[in-house]
Amino acid sequence: MSTAADGWEPDVLGPGFTARTVDLAAGSAPHTTATVVRHRPEARASAARPHGAVLYLHGWSDYFFNAELARAVTAAGWSFYALDLHGYGRNLTDEVLRVPEGPPGHTTDLRDYDDDVAAALEVLAEDGAPGPGGKLVLMGHSTGGLTAALWAAHHPGRLDGLALNAPWLGPHGADVVGRLLRRVLGPLARRRPERELRLRLRSHYYRVISHHAEGEWPIDPRWRPETSFALTPGWLNAVLQAQLEVVEGLNLQVPVLLQVSARSWIRPWWSERMRSADTVLDVRQIRRHARDLGPHVVVRSYEGAVHDVHLSREPVRRAAQRDLVAWLEGVAGAGGRPGAQRATRSTAPPYRRSRRA
């Protein structure tokens, strides 16, 4: 595989996609790199300057592979990039996977990924994105959506919009579950943060989406395993602490689009309902905590959607793509004023700060 002088090389997603690996100061060995994926069509439909750039963050035990989503965004006049965080995806080379220490995906604080995002934004800047007058949108799925929301809160003024795809904003069932888990996991996370728990997250989701099973998406099982990466107390506690910060109120002052399935169906046994529901997260909790993100949140729920709305069956994901593009058009024309978006109307409850979870 050849590498260009600027560091970009052909990506596994095929023509139009390139990837660039960057070294990080943060992260524990062997997880010291992040990878930026770029979609640049060989022939753009329009020579007009892009409206801006979208940077996508994947979820837990995951990586970026949705080429269709990238094409939809670039067809709408945006530059599209995705980031495989350290310890995930394209950074899990055969050499890295042979190292017994440092479980993939492990962290004790979601702020550890701030360095990944910073490195990616430097790559975008070198690439001329988002460009003069262009907008910058961060997009995140599941745990990546939680990470993206916190990054937006910790870096006010850096983004022009935040697009969230089934973000993991709260614990399953009720906030009291989070309180109990924090009490149990906190001490263990401090003493033995990397201890592998004898547990994997199995939701039958892989069966629904992977072409190795009954799905339509070509997925590398090394980078997106059938169950999950090894769970650690440090990682679980990091998620719970991040969710607590959301519940206390982020007050984001940028437009936020939140896309989610209309319903969850979380069971240990298989059901045909799992082909058209979120089998990973509690969507009621996601919608409940949408209000905690800020005052400019648009919630879109989709009948028949799976956990990653943009991996759902074609009619559902096409509708989600149309809503995303319409929202991006609003961001492009908003002139920095969140309330100036068009073609969107919030279905989230009125914004308020939640009581401490």
Side-chain angles (χ1 to χ4, degrees):
M1 181 178 291
S2 61
T3 302
D6 59 3
W8 293 99
E9 61 183 30
D11 185 61
V12 295
L13 292 180
F17 290 90
T18 50
R20 179 175 170 183
T21 299
V22 293
D23 294 321
L24 302 172
S28 57
H31 307 301
T32 57
T33 64
T35 302
V36 181
V37 180
R38 177 180 67 183
H39 179 238
R40 179 170 290 177
E42 295 180 359
R44 289 185 179 271
S46 171
R49 178 182 298 168
H51 301 307
V54 173
L55 176 63
Y56 180 97
L57 303 185
H58 58 78
W60 164 246
S61 296
D62 210 348
Y63 71 105
F64 179 73
F65 59 85
N66 193 337
E68 184 180 290
L69 175 63
R71 294 187 184 103
V73 171
T74 54
W78 291 73
S79 298
F80 183 91
Y81 300 84
L83 176 61
D84 278 8
L85 301 166
H86 71 264
Y88 288 91
R90 292 161 176 82
N91 306 295
L92 298 178
T93 62
D94 291 339
E95 180 181 7
V96 168
L97 288 170
R98 281 196 295 268
V99 178
E101 294 80 15
H106 171 73
T107 185
T108 57
D109 190 335
L110 295 189
R111 292 191 190 213
D112 286 349
Y113 301 116
D114 284 8
D115 286 343
D116 301 56
V117 176
L121 292 179
E122 288 183 10
V123 170
L124 265 64
E126 293 176 10
D127 213 32
K135 308 291 186 177
L136 178 62
V137 171
L138 192 60
M139 183 175 185
H141 166 59
S142 197
T143 312
L146 177 61
T147 301
L150 262 63
W151 191 92
H154 300 159
H155 299 82
R158 297 291 304 277
L159 296 178
D160 297 289
L162 178 67
L164 302 177
N165 173 6
W168 196 6
L169 300 183
H172 291 283
D175 291 339
V176 66
V177 176
R179 286 201 297 270
L180 294 173
L181 286 174
R182 282 194 296 273
R183 291 175 186 172
V184 172
L185 284 170
L188 184 58
R190 288 189 291 272
R191 293 196 306 268
R192 301 186 65 182
E194 293 191 15
R195 176 185 178 183
E196 293 189 12
L197 303 177
R198 294 183 179 180
L199 178 67
R200 291 289 192 277
L201 296 179
R202 184 177 182 86
S203 67
H204 300 287
Y205 182 50
Y206 187 90
R207 174 175 174 174
V208 171
I209 64 172
S210 174
H211 77 308
H212 292 293
E214 298 174 17
E216 61 180 290
W217 298 93
I219 296 174
D220 190 320
R222 299 173 303 166
W223 300 346
R224 210 298 173 197
E226 183 175 356
T227 53
S228 72
F229 294 149
L231 293 173
T232 64
W235 178 81
L236 284 169
N237 189 61
V239 170
L240 291 167
Q241 293 299 326
Q243 290 173 345
L244 177 59
E245 190 171 344
V246 172
V247 170
E248 291 177 333
L250 298 184
N251 199 23
L252 301 176
Q253 296 301 309
V254 296
V256 180
L257 173 66
L258 194 156
Q259 297 179 290
V260 67
S261 177
R263 66 196 74 259
S264 294
W265 190 258
I266 302 173
R267 303 288 191 278
W269 54 85
W270 169 255
S271 167
E272 287 298 316
R273 294 187 184 187
M274 293 177 170
R275 300 189 192 279
S276 56
D278 191 324
T279 61
V280 179
L281 299 183
D282 185 341
V283 299
R284 294 171 301 177
Q285 281 286 79
I286 294 174
R287 287 193 287 264
R288 182 177 298 134
H289 290 297
R291 71 189 73 181
D292 299 318
L293 296 171
H296 309 292
V297 181
V298 174
V299 178
R300 293 285 181 261
S301 297
Y302 301 89
E303 289 288 347
V306 296
H307 175 49
D308 186 334
V309 173
H310 290 279
L311 297 182
S312 303
R313 288 175 292 185
E314 185 172 5
V316 180
R317 68 178 185 261
R318 295 297 186 205
Q321 290 169 10
R322 288 193 296 269
D323 286 346
L324 173 62
V325 167
W327 179 83
L328 286 171
E329 289 175 352
V331 172
R337 295 171 288 116
Q341 288 192 92
R342 57 187 175 84
T344 56
R345 184 169 182 265
S346 179
T347 56
Y351 173 72
R352 63 169 177 79
R353 293 177 73 88
S354 295
R355 289 175 293 180
R356 186 178 180 88

